[in-house]
Structures are given as structure tokens and as C-alpha cells.
Amino acid sequence: MDTNSDVVTIVRSYEDFMPYCKLQKEELRDTYQIPLHGFKIEQFKVCVNDKKGTIKIEGERPVDGNRWSRFRQSFKASPDVYRVKDISARFQNGVLSLILPKTKPSNDHTSNRFPFANTSLLLRIAPALVVMVAVGGYGIFKYFTSMHVIGS
């Protein structure tokens, strides 16, 4: 019994790309929207590592013949900001949505890390800063004009 079995190896050629990601911030959650048109749900995967606070998505699909398109993307999801165990994903109309529920509701005032986010505090401090700058500027002006007069 003589069998001729030739092994044919097909080498895939990959075209790597970085998908566009749109971040939509809301009070109770943030949502990443990633268009993956041409992909089927079984051609990519989403992995959430709640211990490290990371989200990794990767996928590949055939383009034609031995040409394939693939991507890898990762996001940081800090457990201080997000309920990492409650992160979910939805794939609809060629768009992958990653929903990251927040640990605490936030609005524009609380999520701002600028130290003077409280505008009433800023309004109380601003006049004092203006007076200090004006007095300092006047002092510098008098110092340099008096030196010029004496040196003449």
C-alpha cells in the first residue's frame, strides 16, 4: 500500500491595523466604541483581567486567498474608577462596544482633576492673586526705575 501524501503549507500574510476607538463618557459608565466592519463575532475575542485592570481585544479575519487582516488593542481599566468585574461587551452592526461601569457616579465637576475644580473656591482666591501680582509688578517697576534714575 503506497500512499503519496504531499503536505502543502499555506503561509498566511497578515495586514496589521489599529482600530479606531471612540470613548463616550457618561455619569455612570464609559463606553469604548470600536468599528470592526467586516468581522464576525467569532473572529475576535475580548479578555478582561480584573486583577490587573486591563482589557485586551484581538481578532483576525481572511481578506482574500492567504491574506488576513488582524488587530490587537488593549485598554487600562483601573479598579479605582471602574467596576472591572462588571465590564461587558456588545457587538452590533459591525461595532464592538465595551461598557465600563464606574465605581462612583461622576459628573464634570468631580471627574476634573484640576485642584480648583470648585469654582466658588477659585472665585474667592482670584482677587487675592490679582492684588499680589499687581503689588509685585508695581514693586519691580519702582525698583528698576529708581535704579535707572540713580545711575544716570
Side-chain angles (χ1 to χ4, degrees):
M1 189 153 138
D2 191 333
T3 54
N4 275 339
S5 57
D6 292 332
V7 177
V8 177
T9 303
I10 299 174
V11 178
R12 288 183 180 172
S13 172
Y14 287 99
E15 297 172 0
D16 293 324
F17 74 98
M18 180 72 70
Y20 170 78
C21 297
K22 177 183 174 187
L23 176 61
Q24 181 179 345
K25 291 180 167 266
E26 297 177 34
E27 183 179 349
L28 300 176
R29 69 179 165 268
D30 290 343
T31 304
Y32 283 101
Q33 295 178 337
I34 306 154
L36 296 173
H37 301 290
F39 277 84
K40 297 176 185 167
I41 196 164
E42 59 272 2
Q43 294 173 327
F44 64 88
K45 63 183 176 179
V46 178
C47 300
V48 178
N49 185 329
D50 55 347
K51 295 194 186 322
K52 292 183 178 179
T54 57
I55 304 167
K56 184 170 79 171
I57 58 170
E58 56 186 33
E60 63 182 35
R61 70 177 179 90
V63 177
D64 67 46
N66 65 341
R67 286 186 31 227
W68 285 65
S69 179
R70 70 179 175 188
F71 71 94
R72 277 195 186 121
Q73 183 81 15
S74 60
F75 305 94
K76 190 78 172 143
S78 171
D80 297 336
V81 179
Y82 301 107
R83 294 191 324 261
V84 180
K85 291 185 179 197
D86 294 331
I87 291 174
S88 61
R90 181 179 65 220
F91 187 63
Q92 189 174 24
N93 297 326
V95 178
L96 174 65
S97 298
L98 299 174
I99 298 100
L100 291 74
K102 294 182 180 178
T103 56
K104 298 181 241 178
S106 67
N107 56 30
D108 292 335
H109 297 293
T110 58
S111 65
N112 191 348
R113 294 183 184 214
F114 184 65
F116 296 111
N118 184 345
T119 54
S120 64
L121 175 64
L122 183 60
L123 290 175
R124 284 184 278 165
I125 293 174
L129 290 173
V130 169
V131 170
M132 288 173 42
V133 169
V135 169
Y138 179 74
I140 291 171
F141 171 76
K142 284 305 238 178
Y143 174 76
F144 282 112
T145 56
S146 66
M147 284 182 53
H148 182 67
V149 171
I150 294 172
S152 296

